[in-house]
Amino acid sequence: MNTPLLELKDLQTNFYTRAGVVKAVNGISLSVNKGEVVGIVGESGSGKSVTGFSIMGLVDPPGRVAGGSIKFKGRELLTQSESEWQAFRGARVAMIFQDPMMTLNPVLRIDTQMIEAIRAHEKVSRAEARRRCIEALGMVGIPSPEERIKAYPHQFSGGMRQRVAIATGLLNKPDLIIADEPTTALDVTIQSQIIFEMQKLCRMTGMALIWITHDLTVIAGLAHRVAVMYAGAIIEEGDVQQVLDAPLHPYTEGLIGSVPSRNRHGSRLYQIPGTTPSLIDLPPGCPFRMRCPRTTEVCLKEPPVTEYEDGRKVRCFHPGQQS
């Protein structure tokens, strides 16, 4: 078998606070292959974004990766020095944040920032770097990129700023892009345009994409596989259409049932009862059992991960039946 592009094994990321240890990522395992689009879905606080930051080596004190393995093309990343991390970020794996102003410096022109992103990793002339920046802006659908590259971030709309952030991530032709809810703050039309551009870029360049979101409708039309996270763990994983059409875990069922289009017009929106448990003091056994309609006494134990012949995985004592 070919080595996965990215492989996480039993990844654990903790935040050490006065109140206790927050187990933000609690032993997840996930692989991503070249050219594959993988969605990571879950509600706020499930550990989605921290997973992305862990892959990028961007977890700072009071947090740290406390255990497990992150391998990229078979090479362990957690043993890298800071200089190796700096060479790795942006060149091999790039991250697009929810707020583009986390990427863009408001007091520098777009061309200054983008050219610097290239020359930090490659010895190329400013003219060549500028040409590549203009090409990247054109690829993400920014009109008149030769002129717009001279602008400052505040001269762009929110959607255009996010396109600039995506173009910046593409400059060094990374093998993998991690997109952390990059369209959440944008209107539906702009969101659809950016998702279309990302799909096109994946097909054109062969790069892999991890799309982190709480929006199942985005994942349905974008990803090949989906991993559903709850309380720091992946509780279900598989082909996106199989998972959305026939979910095995009761939490996945609840997420899908909460989508407004699944509710009868005029009726109250369905919601999963209860709240997510504290990641400082997780209950014994299955973390979803206090909210689960299928819970039994056996759920007081740690649920096993069951893997099916078609590659689907579920962490549950009482998974739904596959169709």
Side-chain angles (χ1 to χ4, degrees):
M1 292 180 64
N2 294 330
T3 301
L5 180 66
L6 177 73
E7 187 174 23
L8 312 180
K9 281 189 176 179
D10 195 29
L11 178 65
Q12 300 161 55
T13 303
N14 297 339
F15 287 84
Y16 299 88
T17 70
R18 290 182 179 178
V21 179
V22 179
K23 296 179 179 179
V25 177
N26 193 13
I28 71 168
S29 296
L30 181 70
S31 64
V32 181
N33 297 311
K34 182 180 178 182
E36 188 176 32
V37 180
V38 175
I40 299 180
V41 179
E43 59 193 289
S44 296
S46 61
K48 309 183 304 295
S49 296
V50 177
T51 299
F53 290 137
S54 300
I55 295 167
M56 295 293 294
L58 293 175
V59 178
D60 294 323
R64 69 178 176 87
V65 176
S69 169
I70 304 174
K71 288 185 177 178
F72 185 78
K73 293 185 176 180
R75 176 189 173 194
E76 180 59 60
L77 299 184
L78 295 180
T79 57
Q80 290 190 132
S81 64
E82 184 54 37
S83 61
E84 288 174 320
W85 272 114
Q86 289 176 0
F88 174 79
R89 295 186 201 108
R92 299 279 51 86
V93 178
M95 192 164 186
I96 301 166
F97 300 95
Q98 181 173 344
D99 181 1
M101 296 311 283
M102 288 183 69
T103 302
L104 303 175
N105 188 323
V107 301
L108 295 177
R109 286 187 354 181
I110 297 300
D111 55 358
T112 301
Q113 300 183 57
M114 294 184 74
I115 289 169
E116 183 179 326
I118 292 177
R119 299 187 79 190
H121 296 283
E122 296 180 52
K123 292 182 179 180
V124 297
S125 66
R126 289 189 65 85
E128 171 60 17
R130 186 182 185 83
R131 183 195 65 78
R132 281 169 53 179
C133 294
I134 292 170
E135 181 183 355
L137 290 174
M139 285 176 68
V140 297
I142 290 183
S144 306
E146 299 87 352
E147 293 301 317
R148 299 306 302 273
I149 196 172
K150 303 171 187 174
Y152 287 87
H154 73 268
Q155 294 175 290
F156 288 84
S157 66
M160 285 297 176
R161 279 199 294 268
Q162 193 59 279
R163 288 172 190 256
V164 172
I166 292 170
T168 303
L170 295 170
L171 286 174
N172 294 295
K173 297 180 173 61
D175 299 300
L176 170 67
I177 283 190
I178 301 170
D180 185 14
E181 305 205 47
T183 59
T184 298
L186 307 177
D187 66 60
V188 175
T189 304
I190 301 300
Q191 184 181 81
S192 299
Q193 290 173 359
I194 288 178
I195 290 170
F196 173 76
E197 296 293 348
M198 293 300 295
Q199 286 177 310
K200 185 170 71 173
L201 288 166
C202 287
R203 289 194 300 267
M204 289 170 55
T205 64
M207 74 177 183
L209 174 65
I210 295 176
W211 192 279
I212 297 169
T213 184
H214 63 272
D215 192 339
L216 286 167
T217 56
V218 170
I219 290 298
L222 175 67
H224 301 117
R225 279 192 301 124
V226 61
V228 182
M229 289 192 70
Y230 182 80
I234 292 176
I235 50 92
E236 183 165 357
E237 179 192 341
D239 174 85
V240 68
Q241 290 307 322
Q242 288 182 317
V243 170
L244 296 183
D245 291 343
L248 298 176
H249 198 284
Y251 174 67
T252 312
E253 283 185 7
L255 276 185
I256 294 168
S258 301
V259 174
S261 61
R262 296 251 176 175
N263 288 258
R264 185 166 53 84
H265 182 71
S267 64
R268 291 178 63 88
L269 287 175
Y270 172 79
Q271 61 183 11
I272 301 171
T275 59
T276 307
S278 167
L279 297 181
I280 294 177
D281 186 24
L282 283 169
C286 176
F288 188 62
R289 65 182 176 82
M290 305 299 289
R291 309 172 71 187
C292 181
R294 301 182 203 161
T295 188
T296 63
E297 197 170 313
V298 74
C299 299
L300 287 167
K301 300 177 182 177
E302 184 69 27
V305 177
T306 304
E307 184 168 358
Y308 297 85
E309 290 183 1
D310 57 7
R312 291 186 67 178
K313 299 176 184 177
V314 61
R315 185 189 295 263
C316 184
F317 283 108
H318 307 296
Q321 297 297 314
Q322 286 192 291
S323 56

